Structure formats: structure tokens, C-alpha cells
Amino acid sequence: MYAQMVKSEGPKDQDDPTKLAEFQARIDAGEKIEPKDWMPEGYRKTLIRQIGQHAHSEIVGQLPEGNWITRAPTLERKAILLAKVQDEAGHGLYLYCAAETLGVSRDEMTEMLLDGRMKYSSIFAYPTLTWADMGAVGWLVDGAAIMNQVPLQRTSFGPYSRAMIRVCKEESFHQRQGFDIMMKMCAGSPAQKQMAQDALNRFWYPALMMFGPSDKDSVHSSQSMAWKIKMNTNDELRQKFVDQTVPQAEYLGLTVPDDTLAWNEEKGGYDFAEPDWDEFFEVLKGNGPCSVDRIATRKKAWDDGAWVRDGLMAHAEKARAAKVAAE
Amino acid sequence: MTDKREWPLWEIFIRGQHGASHRHVGSLHAPDAEMAILNARDVYTRRKEGVSIWAVPANAIAASSPSKKGPMYDPAEDKAYRHPTFFDIPKDVGPM
């Protein structure tokens, strides 16, 4: 998902067993944990990683779509895409603020992203080659994100849950505008429909990877699920996504690039091919097609923006001093 | 990465369309109050969520301690008579 392979840390020896039990009981009772409440160090650290990775994904996720703002086919599409990309920036900010309540600063997290200590979702290491990719990204990538973010509204950590509620309110627009692009292209010329098919071909497996590795290889799930940091297993969400998306592809008259795809009456869901997990692990290590470019772009923005950040701060301090002097 | 002065944190409160109180919506970083309000406009009211914004320096907020929940709120527990439903008014009396 937007947070994949988040390394979880369980309870530590120094955690007081009574407090741990009380903490778990609160979570089991559906209470929200707030920043100043007692929490195990492992809970705090895992959440910083997960929320931070989620925030970074929102921010880096602006890049593949930003790529098309100046080349959108109409003024209306351009305005819509701008609004969507602006939302992603907002989502990143909500999430950074949620993570900051755990005692890490946004600037620290940014630096950890830039020097590779923190990650972002594998999906954003793929290029957006044609306008149809804007459709596929909204439809599939935001669709997959919604699958994960809707249950996360019930996560145990109050600030994270509140950020997710805010994000979910806005996310449905993202998926619909993507599907709207796909509908338009599929109803267009054969060449336009072919572009839409090509976009689906390229984004299908990377979208399936967003949910993270198969449950049997997912070593971090059980503790995070007990703490309600993670609400569903990777495979559950992937299955749900496929079941929801295949009929939508059929509606568009597109073919999901999977020869093995078949409805399984018994389980009431589709059987489908797994993505190439070797590719996924490579992307996560920073060897995706656009990985180097993404981080270089973020680093340039961060470095080039330093004088603005410092300048505004200096101006604010000067104005404050002048005001004090005048009083 | 120049020197390490981060923009301070502000808590943002917004009043919605219908005359309700300002409500806490989240926080953000900004160098001063003016920028905090401008940033809040972009971060928290992209869909006309409000008609008025308050920005408060996060370090100016005093908060009750979560560990004192008991002594703070328990005294209200046995005072059910503070709610109108505590009193049974006969149906014959009519609406009250």
C-alpha cells in the first residue's frame, strides 16, 4: 500500500507488562490512543515508519501526475489534475502532522526520505508515459489506496485515524476523475482505446504490488494487526481490489493483462496471477525505473527551497522584534 | 540543507458554514500567523469547509493530562440528574 513492508517492532523487555496489558485492552475495546497517552516504544516507532512512509508516498506521488499538468488535453482536465495533485500535497501534510505528534519532526522525516532511510510506495517509481496513464493512476492507484485507507479510518492511533478520515473524504474524487478519463478514452478512436489498454497493461501488476507481499511472506503483520495499525492482511485487500476492479475493466471494454484471471465460484472471488515479487523487492530497494529521478527531484525541491524557508523565518523574526520594539 | 530552524507548529481551528463554533481540524507549520492562516486556507478549506480560520501557536495550548482522567471526569459520573431523561414526566402532562 502507500506503506509497504513497514518493519514492525513488538513490545520490548523494558515495557512494563501491566501497562502493556492495559494498553492492549484499550485497543481491543476500540479506544483511540492519543499522543500523550502511554504507549509501547515499538508501537510509537512502527507508527512513525508507517505514517511517515504514507506521507512520503503522497508527496512523491505528486510527481508522476505533475508530469502531465502542462500537457493535459483540455483546460478542464488540467484544472482537475491540478486540484488532484494539490490534494495529494494536502494529504501528505495531514499525515506528516499525525506523525509529528509521535515526536519526530517533518524536516527530519524529509531528510530521512532523501537519504534513503525512509521509503515511499513502490507504485510511484513507475513512469507515466501517456495521458491515459493519468486515467489508470486515478482509477487503479487511487482505487487501491482507498481499499487500504477506508479501514485505516478505524486505526487505533487517534491522529492517524483523523487524518485518514480527512483523506478518505477527498480520495473518491481522485478515483472517479481517473475512471472518467478511462471512459472517455475507451469511447474514443481505436488509437485512444489502445492507449487506455496500454496504460492498464503497465499499471495492473504495479497496482497489485501496492498491497505488499503475500501474507505468507509478510513478516510484520501480526503485531501491527493486534495493535490496529494494520486493519487487514495484504492478500485480503488485494483480493478485494481485484474483485472490484475486474468488472470495471469489463465495463470499459479493456482486458486485464492476466491469462489466468478467472471467477472462482467457490471462494466468491477471482483467481489471479501474482505480480513479480522480485521486481517489487528491487523497486523497494530503490531500483525502480524512476526511483533515482524521484528522489533527485525531491532533493532539488528541498535544497532549492531552503532560502525560502529560511527567508520567511528571518522575516517573521524581524517583524516580531520590530513589533516588540514598537510596544 | 542549511541551518536547522524549523517553522513553528500552529493548531488550526475552522468555523463551518452554519454558524457553529470553530473546530480543531489539524495542525501545520508556518513562519508566522499570517502565513499560518494562508497555509490553513490551502490545506484545510480546499472545498469550502469554512468561513473563518483561527491559527494558534501549538506551544500556547495548555492541555489536561491524560493520566488524570479519573480525578477530572469521574465526579460527573454519579450525577445522572443533570440530564433531562433522569426525570419521568407522565404522558398526560404533554410535551415538556
Side-chain angles (χ1 to χ4, degrees):
Chain A
M1 192 28 56
Y2 277 19
Q4 299 155 321
M5 304 278 294
V6 175
K7 191 168 158 280
S8 71
E9 295 191 32
K12 299 278 186 298
D13 291 342
Q14 74 264 24
D15 286 332
D16 176 346
T18 321
K19 280 189 170 173
L20 261 182
E22 282 170 9
F23 179 78
Q24 189 63 51
R26 290 187 62 195
I27 288 177
D28 294 343
E31 277 183 43
K32 294 279 180 250
I33 307 300
E34 296 298 337
K36 291 193 171 153
D37 295 351
W38 184 88
M39 63 184 78
E41 194 52 21
Y43 178 86
R44 198 180 67 81
K45 281 196 174 144
T46 307
L47 268 175
I48 288 177
R49 282 197 202 105
Q50 178 169 330
I51 303 174
Q53 201 184 111
H54 197 156
H56 295 326
S57 300
E58 300 282 356
I59 297 301
V60 177
Q62 295 179 102
L63 300 175
E65 289 179 304
N67 184 34
W68 280 91
I69 290 174
T70 55
R71 291 176 287 165
T74 67
L75 202 52
E76 186 184 57
R77 289 290 187 200
K78 181 176 183 160
I80 292 170
L81 188 59
L82 259 175
K84 182 190 188 264
V85 172
Q86 194 191 16
D87 273 356
E88 308 298 1
H91 296 178
L93 293 181
Y94 307 154
L95 286 157
Y96 282 130
C97 284
E100 283 191 304
T101 65
L102 293 159
V104 61
S105 81
R106 185 174 82 194
D107 290 5
E108 278 175 273
M109 283 184 279
T110 301
E111 281 168 14
M112 285 196 269
L113 170 71
L114 297 182
D115 68 19
R117 278 177 293 159
M118 286 182 93
K119 298 194 185 310
Y120 60 93
S121 174
S122 58
I123 191 74
F124 301 119
Y126 289 87
T128 45
L129 303 177
T130 72
W131 172 253
D133 290 9
M134 294 304 94
V137 166
W139 172 37
L140 301 173
V141 175
D142 290 275
I146 290 170
M147 285 279 138
N148 185 52
Q149 290 173 163
V150 166
L152 273 176
Q153 293 177 102
R154 292 179 285 110
T155 184
S156 62
F157 187 56
Y160 192 24
S161 155
R162 291 189 285 272
M164 282 295 103
I165 290 170
R166 196 163 278 282
V167 166
C168 283
K169 269 192 197 153
E170 298 174 350
E171 198 81 73
S172 179
F173 146 55
H174 298 178
Q175 191 186 16
R176 283 173 171 227
Q177 65 84 36
F179 195 73
D180 190 63
I181 293 173
M182 293 306 265
M183 283 198 299
K184 200 69 161 189
M185 298 204 73
C186 289
S189 68
Q192 287 169 325
K193 187 161 183 184
Q194 186 47 45
M195 272 169 78
Q197 179 64 54
D198 172 62
L200 171 59
N201 292 349
R202 282 181 289 106
F203 276 95
W204 176 255
Y205 288 104
L208 295 187
M209 291 176 195
M210 288 175 67
F211 299 94
S214 173
D215 293 347
K216 55 184 192 302
D217 305 315
S218 182
V219 286
H220 307 300
S221 284
S222 58
Q223 180 60 67
S224 286
M225 287 185 75
W227 278 341
K228 292 191 189 164
I229 292 174
K230 195 178 164 107
M231 306 302 285
N232 305 84
T233 73
N234 298 347
D235 287 337
E236 268 167 35
L237 290 173
R238 191 167 15 247
Q239 181 71 51
K240 217 173 145 192
F241 174 75
V242 171
D243 293 347
Q244 182 189 287
T245 308
V246 170
Q248 294 167 352
E250 284 168 358
Y251 177 88
L252 292 170
L254 298 178
T255 310
V256 173
D258 177 358
D259 296 337
T260 67
L261 187 79
W263 179 256
N264 181 330
E265 192 63 52
E266 206 174 308
K267 77 171 178 187
Y270 286 92
D271 290 331
F272 57 93
E274 297 263 317
D276 177 352
W277 291 118
D278 293 336
E279 177 182 318
F280 169 76
F281 289 115
E282 278 306 306
V283 172
L284 221 56
K285 269 191 253 165
N287 300 324
C290 297
S291 302
V292 172
D293 187 54
R294 297 288 186 243
I295 291 300
T297 305
R298 287 309 307 149
K299 188 166 173 5
K300 183 172 186 319
W302 180 246
D303 292 345
D304 290 356
W307 71 271
V308 180
R309 294 193 297 276
D310 292 347
L312 284 173
M313 199 65 223
H315 172 75
E317 276 162 10
K318 222 169 141 181
R320 201 162 26 239
K323 201 174 161 219
V324 170
E327 274 167 8
Chain B
M1 284 159 228
T2 52
D3 66 291
K4 289 279 181 188
R5 285 178 315 156
E6 294 185 13
W7 288 356
L9 191 68
W10 301 74
E11 298 298 331
I12 305 301
F13 299 79
I14 288 176
R15 173 159 56 216
Q17 307 277 352
H18 304 293
S21 311
H22 282 77
R23 234 181 119 181
H24 183 240
V25 292
S27 49
L28 52 75
H29 289 275
D32 56 28
E34 194 188 343
M35 286 298 295
I37 288 172
L38 283 177
N39 289 352
R41 194 271 312 261
D42 290 342
V43 178
Y44 292 109
T45 66
R46 288 193 301 280
R47 289 172 178 77
K48 300 188 69 164
E49 285 90 339
V51 293
S52 166
I53 299 172
W54 286 350
V56 181
N59 61 14
I61 290 185
S64 62
S65 157
S67 62
K68 292 199 180 109
K69 251 186 216 157
M72 288 280 276
Y73 308 112
D74 285 352
E77 203 148 279
D78 56 359
K79 296 179 180 61
Y81 45 79
R82 282 183 164 150
H83 297 280
T85 46
F86 179 78
F87 305 93
D88 288 324
I89 305 293
K91 276 213 162 51
D92 305 345
V93 177
M96 182 179 282

